[in-house]
Amino acid sequence: MSAEVQLTEIAEVLRKARSIAVLTGAGISAESGIPTFREAQTGLWAQYRAEDLATPDAFVRRPELVWDWYEWRRERVRAAQPNPGHYALAELQRRAPACSLITQNVDGLHQRAGATMVLELHGNILRNKCFDEDCVVDAVLSAMRPPRCPHCGGMVRPDVVWFGEPLPEDVLQHAMRAAQSCDVFLSIGTAALVHPAAQLPMSAAENGATLIEINRDATPLSSMARYSVRALAGEYLPRLVQSAWPEEA
Ligand code: OAD
């Protein structure tokens, strides 16, 4: 099947869908200049050891180092802009009768592009919480690295999910319900290796949804997807949404 015929077919599937669920990963923000995780050379986990920077133990051992690493990542996120892929998904949410947007990303770029009710499975890097009490802490004005919780004096940490930590239960429940009840599931820019997020597309497919993958490279999902498209999200998604709803653009 030619790429153009495939795009037209996928657009038709989207247009007819009653309920869509979308799962995004680091690949959708790559074109905004935010590094992905597992790519050779450029991925964060190719340059840094996750166990030194993204676990509760690492934070207890070297809080200043972990805090500074997250501050560096936050600066990149604040300087980044949503790209056409983020905008196309916000448009998809407006066009489709129902469309849940689930993301593993912590950068908030979907929301900045106008997406609503985004289910952030791994938290948000721009938010902080108290390490001891696990409650969200608003802007902390302190020169300490890391700053201290205004309530209990404990250390403040970024509100992201670290290795070995559970996902936010309510967000995961919503995401699982969306995956199990949709008729079309889109997996975009994720290596589909980290669970439980990677379980969502499989669970959608098991429940009869049409599984569509849009990714620069092949993943473990590719062979089970009804459509597996090798493309850059920021280039492909705007064309797809435009093709599905041409008269309304
Ligand atoms: P990965 O870095 O593992 O995978 C990114 C995927 O995006 C790869 O398959 C790339 O081929 C693809 N990709 C890169 N650029 C792309 C583009 N422009 N368009 C489309 N695809 C592109 O990132 P995730 O799968 O998101 O968890 O990683 C999942 C989780 O692992 C992250 O949320 C993070 C990490 O450890 C936590 O921090 C808890």
Side-chain angles (χ1 to χ4, degrees), residues 24-28 30-31 36-39 45 73 104-106 122 161-163 188-194 214-219 231-234:
T24 64
I28 191 146
E31 289 156 85
T36 58
F37 291 95
R38 284 175 193 77
E39 292 182 80
W45 300 150
R73 285 182 58 195
Q104 297 164 88
N105 299 344
V106 295
H122 294 164
V161 175
W162 279 335
F163 287 91
I188 303 169
T190 173
L193 290 170
V194 173
I214 298 163
N215 211 69
R216 206 192 55 195
D217 304 297
T219 77
L232 297 182

Side-chain angles (χ1 to χ4, degrees), residues 127-174:
R127 215 169 39 223
N128 285 311
K129 64 178 182 178
C130 173
F131 184 73
D132 295 329
E133 297 176 323
D134 207 37
C135 60
V136 171
V137 173
D138 290 335
V140 269
L141 294 171
S142 157
M144 289 182 84
R145 303 184 353 252
R148 303 295 140 162
C149 170
H151 312 294
C152 74
M155 289 193 292
V156 166
R157 57 164 281 184
D159 191 0
V160 296
V161 175
W162 279 335
F163 287 91
E165 293 186 318
L167 273 58
E169 186 57 32
D170 52 336
V171 180
L172 182 60
Q173 289 299 332
H174 269 92

